[in-house]
Amino acid sequence: MKTAFKLDAHPRRPRPLLSEPPAGYFDKLPTQIMARLPQAEASATPGWRWLSFLTPALRTGIASVAVLGGFAASFYMSGSAPLVPRSAPTAALDAVPRTELVGYLLTSGARVENSDLAVLTAAHPGIAKGFLHVSEDEVNDALDAQPSEDATYL
Amino acid sequence: MEDHEILTKFQDPASRNLAFNQLVRKYQSKVYWHVRKMVVDHDDADDLTQDVFVKVWKHLENFRQDSQLFTWIYRIATNECLNFLSSKRRKFLLPLNDVGAELAAKIEADPAIAGDAIELKLQQAILRLPDKQRLVFNLRYYDEMPYEQMAEVTGTSVGALKASYHHAVKKVEEYVTRHTEE
């Protein structure tokens, strides 16, 4: 019959028989721990330390307001400041060499109708001055020669 | 350096690092062995010990001194160990006994215990206890911690701790008796 094991009868050790940590482990451990402390981060941003005193609910509320405010501000900024200046179409066209423009119109398959020219000049009255080197009489003669349905745009 | 002196110096930003360094040097060995008894492996114990002290640093400013500093540190270390073991179980989808068996295998491989058959069986029996019961066993049997202090560390009543320790001792004795040859 087996003898029952009694814990009280067994020699008590201060800890289990486990291998010791590597030599010098406890000398190096404080340095390793100090290197992991987030103190540099905390001291670099002292302006935000007050956040830690707020309740989690209040911090969540402030964060939500900040995010929504950011969206509103970006929306407002994008609405008030046009992405492209008003003079951009003509300015951009002026910058393109004429040969390239002609080449584009010839090769891209784009067709410029009389109606296109009519709408463009109606929207920007001075747009033709840079490239349409004709007198007013010549223009009027050309317009008189147009079919009536195209002339209605003018 | 006494605990109250460490705490006073910690409140002063100019001496905070020095005070915390003293705190680490004072308690590192106890924390390490408390953790090591729970996780067995040195590397795991090393990681957890560092994590414990980083947490102590983060929360020491709010330590209200309702309990002793060491009891408070022990509580943090205990929670870290229990979370570690439970996350290990979840991560590898292991049942309770498998983690105990894994820890027992590590004990068997440890050269420090080689040749001591009874001690090996004792350790295997302890490692097969549920985590919280093993924690109670370690605090009482190895650290000889008073039940009142254990209650502060574990957040459990003294009565429940006494019952838990009593059951743990019975289980350990039965296991060693059953697995020891004549």
Side-chain angles (χ1 to χ4, degrees):
Chain A
M1 185 180 167
K2 285 182 179 179
T3 311
F5 173 78
K6 286 290 170 196
L7 197 61
D8 288 342
H10 186 71
R12 186 190 289 253
R13 301 175 194 274
R15 57 175 182 253
L17 269 181
L18 291 170
S19 57
E20 292 292 320
Y25 172 70
F26 289 117
D27 296 331
K28 296 172 191 163
L29 188 57
T31 312
Q32 288 178 316
I33 291 169
M34 296 305 286
R36 280 189 55 188
L37 299 182
Q39 56 186 341
E41 185 185 318
S43 60
T45 55
W48 297 101
R49 290 194 66 191
W50 57 273
L51 278 172
S52 63
F53 296 106
L54 302 178
T55 62
L58 197 53
R59 271 182 283 184
T60 307
I62 289 173
S64 306
V65 169
V67 170
L68 289 174
F71 275 122
S74 63
F75 182 74
Y76 176 77
M77 300 280 282
S78 63
S80 62
L83 291 174
V84 183
R86 282 175 186 275
S87 60
T90 50
L93 278 177
D94 287 345
V96 180
R98 179 172 293 212
T99 50
E100 279 189 34
L101 276 176
V102 172
Y104 168 75
L105 290 171
L106 290 174
T107 57
S108 68
R111 274 190 76 202
V112 181
E113 306 285 347
N114 286 332
S115 58
D116 295 327
L117 293 173
V119 169
L120 190 61
T121 50
H124 305 281
I127 195 168
K129 283 182 183 171
F131 58 87
L132 196 58
H133 302 293
V134 291
S135 68
E136 194 171 337
D137 291 338
E138 286 172 320
V139 172
N140 284 331
D141 290 343
L143 288 174
D144 288 342
Q146 293 298 313
S148 59
E149 64 267 21
D150 282 354
T152 53
Y153 290 107
L154 306 172
Chain B
M1 196 184 284
E2 294 295 319
D3 285 354
H4 67 87
E5 200 179 344
I6 289 175
L7 292 171
T8 307
K9 285 185 183 295
F10 186 82
Q11 296 304 322
D12 180 2
S15 55
R16 175 165 292 189
N17 281 4
L18 177 69
F20 193 75
N21 196 288
Q22 290 296 317
L23 181 148
V24 171
R25 288 183 187 282
K26 187 172 180 182
Y27 292 119
Q28 59 178 351
S29 176
K30 284 185 176 180
V31 169
Y32 170 83
W33 281 110
H34 175 58
V35 172
R36 177 87 187 269
K37 275 180 277 184
M38 289 301 289
V39 301
V40 178
D41 185 70
H42 164 73
D43 291 335
D44 290 340
D46 178 34
D47 289 343
L48 285 170
T49 302
Q50 292 191 32
D51 292 346
V52 168
F53 281 108
V54 170
K55 283 205 169 174
V56 169
W57 167 271
K58 283 181 182 168
H59 297 103
L60 190 59
E61 212 166 21
N62 303 322
F63 174 57
R64 293 178 184 171
Q65 303 188 43
D66 295 336
S67 57
Q68 286 181 42
L69 179 61
F70 180 59
T71 309
W72 181 72
I73 295 172
Y74 243 61
R75 189 158 67 225
I76 294 174
T78 299
N79 288 336
E80 285 293 303
C81 289
L82 294 176
N83 288 341
F84 171 81
L85 292 168
S86 119
S87 70
K88 192 171 188 175
R89 218 164 262 131
R90 274 200 306 273
K91 192 173 172 185
F92 299 107
L93 299 173
L94 292 172
L96 193 72
N97 289 342
D98 281 8
V99 171
E102 184 195 328
L103 296 177
K106 283 181 181 172
I107 284 269
E108 280 180 53
D110 196 315
I113 208 166
D116 194 334
I118 294 287
E119 185 64 26
L120 178 61
K121 294 296 171 200
L122 174 61
Q123 291 310 315
Q124 288 174 338
I126 294 168
L127 290 171
R128 276 170 168 75
L129 296 172
D131 293 341
K132 283 183 184 170
Q133 198 169 36
R134 189 154 60 91
L135 170 76
V136 171
F137 184 89
N138 285 342
L139 290 174
R140 185 67 190 156
Y141 182 73
Y142 287 113
D143 299 343
E144 298 183 86
M145 189 181 277
Y147 279 112
E148 289 72 19
Q149 204 172 357
M150 286 169 65
E152 285 183 23
V153 170
T154 58
T156 311
S157 70
V158 169
L161 288 170
K162 284 181 178 175
S164 180
Y165 180 68
H166 176 76
H167 288 302
V169 170
K170 286 284 169 208
K171 283 187 199 173
V172 166
E173 288 178 341
E174 282 170 17
Y175 180 92
V176 177
T177 302
R178 209 170 342 114
H179 291 85
T180 310
E181 292 174 9
E182 279 292 316

